[in-house]
Structures are given as C-alpha cells and as structure tokens.
Amino acid sequence: MSRLLAIDYGKKRIGIAVSDPLQIIANGLTTVETSKIFDFLKSYFEKEKVEKVIVGLPKQMNNEPSENLLRIEEFTSRLKKLYPTLNIVYFDERFTSKLAQQTMLAGGLKKKDRQNKALVDEISATIILQGYMESRFYEKEKG
C-alpha cells in the first residue's frame, strides 16, 4: 500500500503528517515554509508512494469558509496541475489547532514548547489525518 499525506495549510507554514504504508497510524512529519511546499512535496513524492493528499478545509463555526480558503484552493489547484493523477480530498479542520494545544498540554510539554507554532501545525496535520482515517473506518463499518 501507499501512504496518505495530510496538510494543514497556513499563510506562513504548512504542517505535514503521513500515515504508515498500511494506513493505520498517523504521524507528524514536519513543518515546511509555505513558499517551499512544492519543492518539499516533489522530493517526498520521489521517495514515497502517496495514494492521497488530505488537505485541511478551514471553516468557521457557522460552517462558512475561512479567509484562508482562497489560498488553499489556489494551492490545491496548482498541486492538481503538477500531479494530475494524485487524489486530493478536503477534510474539515475545525478545532485542530485547539486539539493540538490540548494534546501538547496533555503530553506534558513545557509552555515554551507549546508556543512553537510549527509544532502546533504539525500536530494539527496529524489530527486532520487521524480524523480522516477514522472517518473512512467508520464509513466501512456502516457500509
């Protein structure tokens, strides 16, 4: 099997998480400067087989799109042009930053480490990926 890759897209940084090849466990991979994301992805795709890219879809509490949505749509449009056979899906990312902060607190990270925005972005991407994988599992169970 191949991996799933999740993206928590931000104006300055992008958190990235990947699954294991069996698509069972989500792991934080890294955080990349937004301006360098396509170089990073090119290099990663050359080394690893990726079945699907899951992009966090930012929505507000009232289900309206956030201000970041336009940048995300531009990003995914370019990604589709560069990799036309790549399967790209959106997954609701509401609360992922809050969940990332809670995860860091529960994990016993010191305040200074919890203020590391790059780490928050990476953990957020991991939460997006884990949520996506769990939703697929539940769909199969209902199926």
Side-chain angles (χ1 to χ4, degrees), residues 5-24:
L5 184 139
I7 291 180
D8 180 36
Y9 190 93
K11 190 174 181 179
K12 295 179 182 178
R13 288 173 312 279
I14 296 176
I16 299 174
V18 294
S19 71
D20 61 297
L22 296 176
Q23 300 179 8
I24 297 170

Side-chain angles (χ1 to χ4, degrees), residues 102-119:
Q102 290 174 344
T103 300
M104 294 166 75
L105 189 61
L109 288 177
K110 295 178 180 154
K111 185 176 182 180
K112 183 179 178 188
D113 294 329
R114 293 193 312 265
Q115 292 172 336
N116 178 347
K117 293 184 189 284
L119 183 57

Side-chain angles (χ1 to χ4, degrees), residues 21-84:
L22 296 176
Q23 300 179 8
I24 297 170
I25 299 171
N27 294 296
L29 181 62
T30 191
T31 305
V32 177
E33 289 179 43
T34 301
S35 62
K36 298 178 181 176
I37 187 61
F38 289 103
D39 292 334
F40 173 85
L41 291 174
K42 180 179 187 288
S43 174
Y44 190 81
F45 292 158
E46 288 171 357
K47 292 182 273 183
E48 297 288 342
K49 187 172 182 199
V50 174
E51 175 183 316
K52 189 178 292 184
V53 174
I54 297 89
V55 179
L57 183 63
K59 291 185 178 180
Q60 298 177 35
M61 291 303 297
N62 63 1
N63 218 24
E64 292 291 316
S66 80
E67 66 177 65
N68 199 30
L69 183 60
L70 184 58
R71 286 188 287 271
I72 291 171
E73 288 174 335
E74 289 170 359
F75 164 75
T76 56
S77 176
R78 183 170 174 203
L79 190 60
K80 286 177 185 177
K81 284 179 185 168
L82 291 171
Y83 304 98

